[in-house]
Amino acid sequence: MMTIKKAACIGGGVIGGGWIARLALNGIDVSVYDPHPEAKRKVDEVMANARRAYTRMAVKGLPKEGKVTFAGSIAEAVKGADFIQESVPERLDVKLKTIAEIEAAAPADALIGSSTSGFKATDMARDMAHPERFLVAHPFNPVYLLPINEIVPGEKTGKAFVERAREVYTSIGMKCVVINKEIDAFVGNRLLEAAWREALWLIKDGICTVEELDDIMRYGFGLRWAQMGMFQTYRIAGGEAGMRHFMAQFGPALAWPWTKLMDVPEFNDALVDMVATQSDDQSGQWSIRELERIRDENLIGIMEALAKAEKGKGWGAGELHNAYVKRLGKEAGKKSSKAAEKAKAEKPRKKK
């Protein structure tokens, strides 16, 4: 399996910081560029939460943590890197400018992935001299724990770079899904956008509060989706007759006026204030960092539970979790062995 020798992360926000943490905790040196004056503090805080989570998760040990350094420019950050992850703000003009600077300074064979939530690789690579090495690699937050990675090549992305991307992202414990048909927002965010629009209508129309909606998700179908997804869950709902029976039984509901997805609520100050106020009532007693730590503990707990399924082999994310923790422990063992050998070599010999 192809591994990363030196990584560069351009952008150190919520997603960029998560990439930095996942890479560093896999023992990979990371060079970072982010012009924000608070970038180092924010990345350091994400790293602290990630270390806490990995110490809790990786019971078999961890490799020696990679070194994280902050560069003064994009050119400095990408120098000598064989893997580059771009995570700058979601503005196409900013993406194009950043990618141009990356390409101008990066090694000729470096793989360049973008964390964009919705832009197509083809559109972002339009000015590149070598678009064959560029693709979308869309993760979910927190990047250091959630393993899914939507790999979406552009029209000019080379097949060799797609396979290389699959290998390098897999080497840091991720589940890669290659989506060969480009669409805006890919698959994950298309599904989330649909649920988000319907949720905003339910809040705006006073049907429920944000807390009540979250409770319906996290105490109900969210638990099912966490381990089986939508279609496998619905297959079970069809009983012994399976998916065909489910489709026949519930298919007609698609024509019923249950959803407002074809109509978008006006996104105005009143709606923002309503949602933000209810969110403060729901979660204002915790800081963002506290919520992140609670989230991390819950995610690890769910993955550990799934890891024990199927006679210890693991189910879904649990199977991947088992393999990832085992690999981290193997790297930790190599570190311990090297340290012991070094100590033995440096130990003074006794005089006869």
Side-chain angles (χ1 to χ4, degrees):
M1 182 179 291
M2 191 173 294
T3 56
I4 303 164
K5 295 182 177 64
K6 180 190 173 184
C9 287
I10 309 304
V14 174
I15 298 300
W19 278 117
I20 294 163
R22 180 176 277 273
L23 290 161
L25 290 168
N26 273 270
I28 299 164
D29 292 339
V30 189
S31 183
V32 181
Y33 175 73
D34 189 318
H36 194 285
E38 295 286 317
K40 188 177 186 306
R41 174 188 64 79
K42 291 180 179 181
V43 169
D44 286 347
E45 289 179 356
V46 173
M47 283 294 303
N49 274 353
R51 286 191 196 98
R52 181 179 183 274
Y54 268 56
T55 300
R56 156 88 167 77
M57 177 183 75
V59 294
K60 299 179 183 297
L62 283 167
K64 181 182 179 182
E65 186 175 307
K67 186 178 180 182
V68 176
T69 57
F70 285 80
S73 67
I74 289 176
E76 182 185 344
V78 303
K79 183 179 180 181
D82 58 343
F83 169 82
I84 301 159
Q85 189 74 25
E86 170 272 309
S87 307
V88 300
E90 288 291 290
R91 283 176 44 193
L92 186 56
D93 61 329
V94 175
K95 297 280 190 188
L96 291 172
K97 182 177 181 296
T98 301
I99 292 164
E101 290 188 48
I102 290 172
E103 186 178 38
D109 61 345
L111 173 68
I112 306 171
S114 174
S115 304
T116 181
S117 297
F119 293 127
K120 295 176 183 176
T122 298
D123 295 335
M124 289 186 289
R126 71 187 189 195
D127 299 329
M128 292 183 72
H130 297 284
E132 67 275 5
R133 57 180 174 150
F134 179 81
L135 45 71
V136 166
H138 176 241
F140 283 82
N141 186 42
V143 181
Y144 55 81
L145 283 182
L146 289 182
I148 192 64
N149 189 3
E150 292 180 288
I151 295 177
V152 193
E155 292 175 1
K156 296 182 179 179
T157 305
K159 290 183 178 180
F161 279 95
V162 174
E163 287 309 307
R164 182 173 162 192
R166 192 201 299 268
E167 288 186 12
V168 297
Y169 287 110
T170 298
S171 77
I172 54 174
M174 305 195 87
K175 170 69 174 180
C176 295
V177 176
V178 177
I179 301 168
N180 285 308
K181 188 172 183 178
E182 278 190 295
I183 56 170
D184 293 322
F186 328 122
V187 175
N189 279 345
R190 290 287 283 265
L191 290 168
L192 286 175
E193 178 68 11
W196 172 240
R197 290 185 181 207
E198 190 72 8
L200 287 178
W201 273 121
L202 292 167
I203 304 304
K204 183 181 184 298
D205 291 346
I207 307 301
C208 63
T209 66
V210 297
E211 183 170 8
E212 289 165 347
L213 188 143
D214 279 353
D215 283 348
I216 289 167
M217 293 182 73
R218 67 194 184 117
Y219 289 101
F221 56 84
L223 290 173
R224 299 187 307 193
W225 285 0
Q227 52 93 35
M228 279 194 175
M230 182 180 289
F231 285 93
Q232 203 166 44
T233 294
Y234 282 169
R235 180 181 180 85
I236 293 172
E240 292 181 359
M243 182 59 84
R244 287 187 182 278
H245 176 67
F246 176 84
M247 294 290 286
Q249 185 175 11
F250 293 100
L254 294 173
W256 299 346
W258 279 3
T259 178
K260 287 192 173 184
L261 286 181
M262 301 309 292
D263 186 16
V264 183
E266 183 181 354
F267 199 80
N268 54 27
D269 291 344
L271 180 59
V272 171
D273 186 60
M274 177 186 290
V275 173
T277 299
Q278 291 184 17
S279 181
D280 288 343
D281 292 341
Q282 176 189 18
S283 307
Q285 66 268 41
W286 297 289
S287 71
I288 291 299
R289 298 305 171 217
E290 288 170 333
L291 284 172
E292 287 174 344
R293 289 191 287 272
I294 292 167
R295 173 203 65 193
D296 291 354
E297 282 289 319
N298 292 338
L299 286 174
I300 294 168
I302 290 169
M303 287 190 288
E304 285 181 341
L306 294 174
K308 296 174 184 176
E310 283 293 282
K311 300 178 181 178
K313 178 186 176 184
W315 177 267
E319 184 177 9
L320 181 64
H321 178 81
N322 278 338
Y324 188 38
V325 170
K326 184 178 180 180
R327 192 184 65 73
L328 289 170
K330 186 177 180 180
E331 293 298 321
K334 290 180 182 177
K335 178 186 72 174
S336 299
S337 297
K338 287 180 180 178
E341 288 174 6
K342 184 178 179 181
K344 185 177 179 180
E346 292 175 351
K347 186 177 180 181
R349 295 181 179 178
K350 292 182 179 179
K351 293 182 179 179
K352 292 183 178 180

